């Protein structure tokens, strides 16, 4: 079981894209920094560092198939998984689907998701409709859609006798997820909402309160910090400040 034994702390990123988080290059050095950072979040739990790799990235242009997203090749995913294993970390594969349907994008990653130390993250802010362009509008998902992803992952865990798998969905505004109550518990899957508010500490706390007050029983709380965007408004929140949030963020993500 991941919780309550472990405290997850993640770095996010995409190869060659420093704007999307620290995991753009120098992976061993970044992993060492993450190990140190994760220990600051222990607070009675076992720190578990996580590499969150953006495996499907939303794009502002159509691309060959008109779906406004790019996919990372297997060799890159293999490289990140090797670093995660070397440092005894979990790997989360993050999907920003653009106009693509989310479940087919998840299933395309099945060879990785059948691994015992690979979980999934979904960024519905970047899941747009058939005439929309990512980045120009906020994307959207539903509790039912999230539930279908959790059910699929649960099936993999059961079929392949895997340890409990993390499923993270990112959310920065109430309108990005509707009917969240349709998201139920599924055996072998830990579902975590990562609250992604940007801005002053006060703004982040308001977003946190708004998005965690009525968490479904099946959903754990996570919190995201932005090295660049957050620090435009003041100092980055400290581990002590983050851990003082109620409910306790069981995943803390740094971008």
């Amino acid at each position: 079981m991941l919780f309550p034994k472990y405290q997850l702390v993640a770095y996010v990123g995409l190869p060659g894209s420093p704007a999307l988080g620290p995991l753009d290059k120098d992976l061993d050095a970044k992993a060492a920094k993450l190990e140190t950072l994760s220990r600051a979040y222990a607070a009675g739990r076992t720190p578990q560092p996580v590499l969150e790799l953006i495996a499907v990235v939303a794009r502002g242009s159509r691309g060959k198939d008109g779906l406004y997203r790019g996919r990372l090749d297997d060799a890159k995913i293999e490289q990140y998984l090797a670093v995660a294993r070397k440092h005894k970390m979990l790997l989360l594969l993050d999907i920003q689907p653009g106009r693509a349907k989310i479940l087919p994008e998840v299933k395309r990653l099945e060879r990785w998701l059948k691994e015992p130390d690979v979980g999934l993250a979904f960024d519905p802010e970047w899941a747009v409709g058939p005439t929309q362009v990512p980045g120009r509008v906020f994307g959207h998902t539903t509790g039912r859609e999230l539930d279908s992803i959790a059910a699929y992952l649960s099936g993999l865990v059961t079929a392949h006798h895997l340890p409990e798998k993390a499923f993270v969905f990112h959310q920065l505004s109430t309108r990005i997820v509707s009917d969240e109550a349709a998201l139920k518990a599924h055996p072998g899957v830990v579902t975590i909402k990562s609250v992604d508010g940007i801005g002053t500490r006060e703004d982040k706390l308001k977003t946190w309160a708004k998005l965690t007050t009525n968490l479904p029983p099946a959903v754990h709380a996570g919190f995201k910090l932005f090295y660049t965007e957050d620090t435009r408004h003041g100092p980055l929140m400290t581990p002590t400040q983050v851990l003082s949030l109620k409910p306790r963020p069981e995943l803390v993500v740094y971008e």
Side-chain angles (χ1 to χ4, degrees), residues 158-204:
T158 302
H160 301 283
H161 310 289
L162 300 172
E164 205 168 50
K165 197 168 281 296
F167 168 42
V168 176
F169 66 97
H170 291 281
Q171 188 177 357
L172 58 75
S173 151
T174 49
R175 64 182 186 265
I176 287 172
V177 181
S178 58
D179 189 25
E180 201 177 317
L183 177 50
K184 306 296 184 195
H186 291 273
V189 176
V190 175
T191 300
I192 306 163
K193 177 199 286 202
S194 171
V195 174
D196 287 13
I198 290 174
T200 64
R201 184 180 170 198
E202 190 179 43
D203 287 341
K204 289 178 79 76

Side-chain angles (χ1 to χ4, degrees), residues 9 27-28 30-36 38 48-51 81 83-91 117-118:
V9 182
L27 295 185
D28 279 305
K30 301 287 175 61
K33 280 182 72 173
L34 178 58
E35 282 172 331
T36 302
S38 70
Q48 176 57 68
V50 179
L51 304 185
L81 181 55
V83 173
R85 286 182 169 162
K86 178 178 170 185
H87 293 271
K88 297 184 171 54
M89 298 180 173
L90 299 178
L91 180 67
D117 46 0
V118 179

Side-chain angles (χ1 to χ4, degrees), residues 190-235:
V190 175
T191 300
I192 306 163
K193 177 199 286 202
S194 171
V195 174
D196 287 13
I198 290 174
T200 64
R201 184 180 170 198
E202 190 179 43
D203 287 341
K204 289 178 79 76
L205 296 184
K206 279 183 191 161
T207 305
W208 173 260
K210 212 181 281 183
L211 294 180
T212 60
T213 300
N214 296 308
L215 272 185
V219 180
H220 296 260
F223 191 69
K224 192 168 186 182
L225 295 156
F226 295 84
Y227 280 121
T228 303
E229 290 91 337
D230 286 354
T231 53
R232 288 182 189 137
H233 308 278

